[in-house]
């Protein structure tokens, strides 16, 4: 059975004190209110990782980073490597988020390297793909997303592919309050799964968790997470408020 996952992406938000307060609230609320097999992950800014990890302690909530370098070690001022994350026992890393693609010029070739570094460090990459509005309006969304998946993932062995989590995040739905409809989400998740099946076989494709991201909140999560090929969510804005995020998690049965 595919792992159900709800991951919060805090992006570049919160002071240290605010981050600790939010994590403390979530530990309490998740332990008293949440009773599912869903993995809950908080992808927090780099400097907060060890503190939040320590704070989560024995709670079921896991911590993740939002990026890592394509290099292993060395003279890359300002960068953070997958091996550093590994040395802090950080289990997850988001890679290829559309904001990284858009503002930091990350492309498929670079992301393939980052995926490799994350896997070598035994991190679980949450690989993001998704089309901008103009691409959807031109009807080229399937083509672009398939290209993103192929460029970053299709060099992987069968064994390594199984270690990846994919997040489909249409760029026009991120931070806009405008979500994909359940039908649009299901269609694209099915496209991605079929593409994985064509390269890695149906059984492997059925094992990969594909999350939906883009303005997920407590109101729309139920419809989106009910789709056959949607295995959870990558949640930005709604993960910054404990009540809202826990209500999203509680949608997962
Ligand atoms: P959002 O962000 O939920 O605020 O749209 C999602 C994401 O960027 O991962």
């Amino acid at each position: 059975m595919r792992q159900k996952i709800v991951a919060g992406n805090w992006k570049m938000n919160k002071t240290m004190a605010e981050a600790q307060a939010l994590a403390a609230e979530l530990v309490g609320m998740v332990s008293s209110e949440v009773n599912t097999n869903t993995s809950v992950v908080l992808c927090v800014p780099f400097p907060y990782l060890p503190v939040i990890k320590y704070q989560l302690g024995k709670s079921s909530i896991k911590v993740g980073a939002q990026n890592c370098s394509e290099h292993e070690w060395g003279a890359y001022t300002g960068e953070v490597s997958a091996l550093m994350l590994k040395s802090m026992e950080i289990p997850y890393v988001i890679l290829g988020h559309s904001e990284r693609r858009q503002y930091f010029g990350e492309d498929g070739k670079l992301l393939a390297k980052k995926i490799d570094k994350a896997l070598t460090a035994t991190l679980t990459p949450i690989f993001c793909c998704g089309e901008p509005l103009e691409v959807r309006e031109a009807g080229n969304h399937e083509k672009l997303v398939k290209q993103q998946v192929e460029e970053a993932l299709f060099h992987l062995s069968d064994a390594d592919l199984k270690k990846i989590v994919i997040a489909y995040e249409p760029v026009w739905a991120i931070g806009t309050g405008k979500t994909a409809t359940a039908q649009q989400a299901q269609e694209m998740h099915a496209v991605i799964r079929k593409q994985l099946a064509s390269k890695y076989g149906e059984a492997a494709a059925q094992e990969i968790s594909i999350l939906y991201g883009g303005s997920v909140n407590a109101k729309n999560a139920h419809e989106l997470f009910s789709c056959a090929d949607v295995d959870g969510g990558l949640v930005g804005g709604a993960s910054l408020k404990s009540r809202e995020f826990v209500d999203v998690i509680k949608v997962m049965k």
Side-chain angles (χ1 to χ4, degrees), residues 104-115:
F104 302 94
E106 297 196 357
D107 60 14
K109 213 167 144 210
L110 179 86
L111 291 169
K113 290 187 198 159
K114 291 190 175 201
I115 293 274

Side-chain angles (χ1 to χ4, degrees), residues 4 18 38-39 41 47 54 63-64 108 117 127 148 164 204 210 227:
K4 303 274 185 190
E18 289 164 351
T38 301
S39 291
V41 185
Y54 179 76
V63 74
K117 289 291 176 290
F127 169 73
Q148 290 172 335
I164 305 279
I210 308 179
C227 298

Side-chain angles (χ1 to χ4, degrees), residues 23 25-26 33 52-54 61 70 86 89-90 102 110 114 133 137 140 164 170 178 185 189 203 218-219 221 237 241:
E25 284 166 21
L26 289 171
E33 297 180 37
I52 300 294
K53 183 180 166 59
Y54 179 76
I61 308 174
E70 71 276 25
K86 163 77 175 159
E89 295 174 26
I90 305 299
Q102 193 180 342
L110 179 86
K114 291 190 175 201
L133 184 61
E137 284 176 346
N140 292 329
I164 305 279
K178 189 177 170 206
H189 285 228
K219 284 201 187 73
K241 290 164 262 164

Side-chain angles (χ1 to χ4, degrees), residues 28-242:
M29 290 164 86
V30 166
S31 78
S32 64
E33 297 180 37
V34 176
N35 180 20
T36 77
N37 290 325
T38 301
S39 291
V40 178
V41 185
L42 304 181
C43 296
V44 310
F46 283 135
Y48 304 163
L49 281 167
V51 175
I52 300 294
K53 183 180 166 59
Y54 179 76
Q55 217 185 326
L56 296 175
K58 290 198 172 18
S59 133
S60 58
I61 308 174
K62 304 269 188 311
V63 74
Q66 300 170 11
N67 182 30
C68 74
S69 171
E70 71 276 25
H71 302 291
E72 212 156 78
W73 298 109
Y76 300 101
T77 303
E79 288 293 273
V80 173
S81 75
L83 289 172
M84 291 176 179
L85 298 175
K86 163 77 175 159
S87 74
M88 296 189 290
E89 295 174 26
I90 305 299
Y92 289 90
V93 61
I94 297 174
L95 290 175
H97 190 279
S98 67
E99 287 148 17
R100 302 284 327 163
R101 293 176 189 263
Q102 193 180 342
Y103 306 133
F104 302 94
E106 297 196 357
D107 60 14
K109 213 167 144 210
L110 179 86
L111 291 169
K113 290 187 198 159
K114 291 190 175 201
I115 293 274
D116 287 344
K117 289 291 176 290
L119 289 174
T120 303
T122 66
L123 306 177
T124 298
I126 302 176
F127 169 73
C128 301
C129 54
E131 79 287 355
L133 184 61
E134 61 277 12
V135 173
R136 172 148 299 249
E137 284 176 346
N140 292 329
H141 44 291
E142 289 189 13
K143 187 167 169 242
L144 179 75
V145 168
K146 282 161 85 171
Q147 186 188 330
Q148 290 172 335
V149 168
E150 183 173 339
E151 284 174 355
L153 303 182
F154 272 20
H155 65 289
L156 296 176
S157 66
D158 292 14
D160 278 347
L161 184 85
K162 288 186 189 157
K163 299 170 187 161
I164 305 279
V165 172
I166 295 177
Y168 169 63
E169 299 203 300
V171 180
W172 45 271
I174 295 177
T176 57
K178 189 177 170 206
T179 56
T181 62
Q183 192 194 340
Q184 286 171 322
Q186 170 55 30
E187 266 169 23
M188 285 308 292
H189 285 228
V191 163
I192 295 167
R193 207 177 295 288
K194 199 166 155 213
Q195 184 195 10
L196 296 173
S198 72
K199 164 95 175 150
Y200 293 96
E202 185 61 29
Q206 287 300 331
E207 276 183 48
I208 308 291
S209 299
I210 308 179
L211 316 182
Y212 169 80
S215 296
V216 173
N217 59 38
K219 284 201 187 73
N220 59 35
H222 185 263
E223 212 190 330
L224 290 160
F225 294 173
S226 303
C227 298
D229 285 293
V230 176
D231 305 307
L234 181 55
V235 186
S239 75
L240 297 171
K241 290 164 262 164
S242 54

